[in-house]
Amino acid sequence: MPTAARVSPDEIRKGFSKAMSDMYRDEVPLYGALMALVAETNTRVLDSEPDLAQQLQRTGEIQRLDMERHGAIRLGTAYELATIGRLFAVMGMQPVGYYDLTPAGVPVHSTAFRAVHEQALQASPFRVFTSLLRLELIENPELRAFAETALAKRAIFTPGALALIEQAEQHGGLNAADAAEFIRQALETFRWHPTATVTSAQYRQLSDQHRLIADVVAFKGPHINHLTPRTLDIDQVQAAMPGKGITPKAVIEGPPRRHCPILLRQTSFKALDEPIAFTDAQGSHSARFGEIEQRGVALTPKGRALYDQLLNAARDELGAFPNEDNAARYTQLMEQHFEAFPDTYAQMREQGLAYFRYFPTAQGLAARGTAEQPRTVDGLIAAGHVAVEPLVYEDFLPVSAAGIFQSNLGDAAQSHYAVNSNQAEFEKALGRPTIDELKLYGKTQQRSVDECTQALLA
Ligand code: OOG
Ligand code: NI
């Protein structure tokens, strides 16, 4: 029997990202307010900064801006992680990067599921920061055994989702009707449940061990805990949040404000306190929050080392976790230390600090095949025959992620774990290696160079 045409994984991801956003807006009205604020700010920035508008036009980011968002979930078992990997694969999302949050006192390690090719990212840049709880960090053996049993009992995927994942794997994709059903079924895994699977005393015990442990173990599924739109000016949004009844965290995570943004800047507002029906009593739990982010250029290993060095120096000098009381000093220290990071794209490129994409210009195309066409990339750039644009950072930052976790779990959640990072253990649970994000940036950059050579010199 001929099978109906398959829907591309990119289309499924795009549909899923929209469905998730609609679900979350219904569940958390402040998310809707934040989206409106971000859209308003982005329009204003594009109107007032024609150079930025042109840059985003050239890279294609302007078309993906409105649909750009990331979410986060926290899982409890290897089975859950491996299966979510298969679920995300149906929508063309691969595990990129390994993040260990334990040095920052959060008992998880994580990856980000996302599209990997620039064309797929252009179709839908949706990503999900996915953490696996490290149960081995629960010191009390009885509590650990209880957590393991509770997690073993739950089924976070619907039978329909599991069947469609298998179907997609066996047939190399889904047809339109199955893809629509897959989106509906997959969404159920991320839904909020106002009922817990444990008693209120058990919840308290888990929560006393770590708030995050309760958030994973006491519930039926890994509710999406935030969904983050991308803004073009995070300082403007941060300043406008209180006027919309939203209280942001004290400091913006990531690099300070710059002319040429690097990596990722993020801010969030506190988790909501929500009513929960425990198996024996009413209570409450806070897990879901709001976040916004501004993305800048991806850094090379050399650029990243400089970023880490300057960030650590500023934090060491502050001598404490950034908080409400030291926020102004933190901002000042960050600005001071980051003076050592070049703030023009030309300097960053010359010094090998960041990744870029290269685009042939009209002038370059007109000079194709003529004697005056320069023969090297640098020559083409100097002649204005190739335009250089920053390659946007698509990933996350462990120190920032820890700051986001902490601010939403409360200061009481700070623990000290003397364990080693364990990427091998994480990948064993996942059932496959994670992808090195730096290799992806390198490949995208190289493809753009090849395309220029092809278009201008071949
Ligand atoms: C994830 C926090 C990390 C980010 O944007 O860095 C994160 C979580 O709270 O589960 O989403
Ligand atoms: Ni986030």
Side-chain angles (χ1 to χ4, degrees), residues 358-406:
Y358 300 88
F359 299 88
T361 62
Q363 215 185 329
L365 290 167
R368 183 192 163 108
T370 67
E372 66 261 32
Q373 184 76 297
R375 306 303 299 175
T376 65
V377 172
D378 282 340
L380 287 163
I381 295 169
H385 294 192
V386 160
V388 184
E389 300 293 0
L391 173 56
V392 65
Y393 188 60
E394 305 283 357
D395 294 287
F396 294 86
L397 297 168
V399 173
S400 300
I404 299 283
F405 267 105
Q406 295 296 6

Side-chain angles (χ1 to χ4, degrees), residues 70 72 74 129 225-226 266 289 291 396 401 404-405:
H70 84 252
R74 305 152 182 173
F129 191 89
N225 65 47
H226 65 286
Q266 300 173 298
F289 60 97
E291 183 191 44
F396 294 86
I404 299 283
F405 267 105

Side-chain angles (χ1 to χ4, degrees), residues 42 46-47 49-50 52-68 122 230 232:
N42 287 353
L46 288 172
D47 285 347
E49 292 182 43
L52 178 63
Q54 199 196 8
Q55 173 199 314
L56 297 176
Q57 195 83 50
R58 187 135 40 202
T59 61
E61 282 164 80
I62 210 152
Q63 286 116 36
R64 61 178 242 194
L65 195 59
D66 290 344
M67 54 173 163
E68 181 138 2
Q122 179 64 17
R230 173 176 170 190
L232 296 174

